[in-house]
Amino acid sequence: MSTAKPFKIDVQQAVLDDLQNRLQQTRWPDAPENAGWRYGTDLVFLQNLVAYWQNGYDWRKQEAALNRFPQFTVEIDSLTIHFLHIKSKNPDARPLLLLHGWPDCFYRYHKVIPLLTDDYDVIVPSIPGFGFSSRVPMTDDGSAAIFAALMTEVLGYKTFLAAGGDVGMGITKSLANLYPENVAAIHLSDVGYPDGSEDWSTMSKAEQEFGQFIQQWWYTEGAYAMLHSTKPQTQSYGLNDSPVGLASWIVEKFNSWRTPDGTIEDHFTKDELLTNIMIYWVSQTINSSMRTYAMGAFQQLASGKKVNTPTGVAIFPGDAPTPKEWAERKVNVKRFTVMEKGGHFAAMETPELWAKEVDAFFKSTQ
């Protein structure tokens, strides 16, 4: 295993010039009058976002801000893994691994890092297939093996804490189940969902209602996941070629999965939305990130087994309304909190609330 090397984001100007040319050449579709977000991404919103992308957004400013965090790459199992490693000045700080999901990236955690480094060494990798890691998607178990090696062999932490949501949730659960001697405690913002194979006679009323909610959600919101799990290559040609297509595919999820009040811009700035999109664009990882779903689909993985490691769970109002009974089927719940605000990307949307809750749980495990 190689030694970690310092890394800085430095996108070639030719890539940015090409992006501007593509934005200028956009062939816009029509949309029903006053459709809003009813059929998917709001045309008016997206046109305004793209106009700002062309005339107001400053990638070099965002790039410089990201480069203030110490970043590294390391070769693990023939893959290049990109990660942030921010060491605390506290000699008693515990290492905390933060794992993102889709369609976000390591950028999910940029606001919470300063809120955590008083008490934690914070490590934020790009999952394989995402961001500046190799464009090679892995299963939850495969990524868990890589991150266990990162934490113990590359960085030298004997034990560590881990937190994640979405894809990061699955990897975090795999870490806890495959490496229980190394993972002291985990925190999750989702724990997995009913898939129809459960014996409903053993489920509480709240769990049955949750199962019905998830079933309806798959019909109304889950088409993207089925496409990613079965035919991701089909979608990748358009998304890797068109920055507006990419933005539409990503920003629709940020709108659907936020705190359910106001508008998307009440919860995320244009700069935040575009920086997340830009990381996908400049790294050309939308295809490999989507294929991550296909890698793990229809497999029996450690992420699907109940976790015995002490677990904190925070359920945000913009996410699935998971009942405590269901969480207890999936993990060893030591703290369960229904949050007042926030959504699927809570570390970006409500960083103070997210960080306070995660910190409170991990301090309770000391």
Side-chain angles (χ1 to χ4, degrees), residues 312-327:
V313 179
I315 302 301
F316 292 86
D319 232 336
T322 306
K324 186 177 181 182
E325 304 99 291
W326 177 258

Side-chain angles (χ1 to χ4, degrees), residues 2-10 67 69-75 80-85 154:
S2 64
T3 303
K5 299 177 182 179
F7 175 83
K8 292 190 75 171
I9 305 169
D10 185 16
N67 282 332
F69 295 119
Q71 297 176 71
F72 304 87
T73 57
V74 66
E75 300 298 313
T80 298
I81 301 300
H82 163 257
F83 64 99
L84 282 60
H85 187 197
V154 176

Side-chain angles (χ1 to χ4, degrees), residues 100-362:
H100 65 81
W102 186 92
D104 58 302
C105 59
F106 72 93
Y107 183 66
R108 173 193 281 228
Y109 295 111
H110 77 285
K111 292 181 182 178
V112 301
I113 290 170
L115 305 178
L116 295 170
T117 48
D118 282 350
D119 297 301
Y120 305 93
D121 288 353
V122 179
I123 301 92
V124 188
S126 294
I127 293 171
F130 291 73
F132 301 108
S133 288
S134 290
R135 293 196 291 266
V136 179
M138 306 287 286
T139 65
D140 292 343
D141 292 1
S143 289
I146 285 173
F147 293 138
L150 172 66
M151 296 299 287
T152 61
E153 299 179 41
V154 176
L155 301 180
Y157 296 116
K158 184 176 181 181
T159 61
F160 58 92
L161 309 167
D166 194 82
V167 176
M169 174 274 296
I171 299 171
T172 300
K173 289 176 67 179
S174 285
L175 274 166
N177 281 333
L178 294 173
Y179 308 95
E181 69 280 7
N182 302 118
V183 181
I186 65 172
H187 189 277
L188 306 172
S189 53
D190 51 288
V191 298
Y193 308 110
D195 61 11
S197 65
E198 299 80 16
D199 180 356
W200 277 48
S201 67
T202 68
M203 297 170 69
S204 69
K205 181 179 179 181
E207 288 178 297
Q208 291 177 10
E209 291 174 349
F210 180 56
Q212 292 170 342
F213 172 91
I214 293 300
Q215 184 181 52
Q216 183 62 29
W217 186 91
W218 278 109
Y219 283 121
T220 57
E221 296 287 341
Y224 81 96
M226 293 304 296
L227 188 151
H228 291 188
S229 298
T230 57
K231 305 289 185 180
Q233 193 69 29
T234 301
Q235 187 81 347
S236 70
Y237 300 104
L239 300 184
N240 197 61
D241 187 63
S242 167
V244 174
L246 177 67
S248 175
W249 196 242
I250 291 176
V251 79
E252 189 267 326
K253 300 309 175 194
F254 275 78
N255 180 67
S256 295
W257 300 345
R258 59 178 171 81
T259 303
D261 62 24
T263 69
I264 186 172
E265 289 191 85
D266 293 325
H267 302 276
F268 304 102
T269 68
K270 286 187 174 72
D271 279 341
E272 289 168 351
L273 294 171
L274 288 172
T275 297
N276 183 69
I277 292 163
M278 282 290 292
I279 292 169
Y280 278 92
W281 180 258
V282 301
S283 64
Q284 296 193 57
T285 52
I286 189 59
N287 186 20
S288 53
S289 73
M290 294 191 304
R291 290 206 316 275
T292 299
Y293 287 69
M295 292 296 296
F298 319 115
Q299 293 191 45
Q300 297 295 318
L301 300 170
S303 55
K305 298 177 181 178
K306 182 172 181 178
V307 171
N308 292 318
T309 300
T311 305
V313 179
I315 302 301
F316 292 86
D319 232 336
T322 306
K324 186 177 181 182
E325 304 99 291
W326 177 258
E328 289 173 336
R329 289 178 182 267
K330 297 295 182 179
V331 296
N332 180 12
V333 176
K334 296 299 183 183
R335 180 182 175 99
F336 184 88
T337 308
V338 177
M339 305 297 290
E340 62 188 72
K341 186 179 180 182
H344 197 68
F345 311 102
M348 278 182 67
E349 184 184 352
T350 51
E352 292 83 6
L353 286 175
W354 183 91
K356 183 178 179 181
E357 176 63 22
V358 169
D359 179 52
F361 167 67
F362 283 132

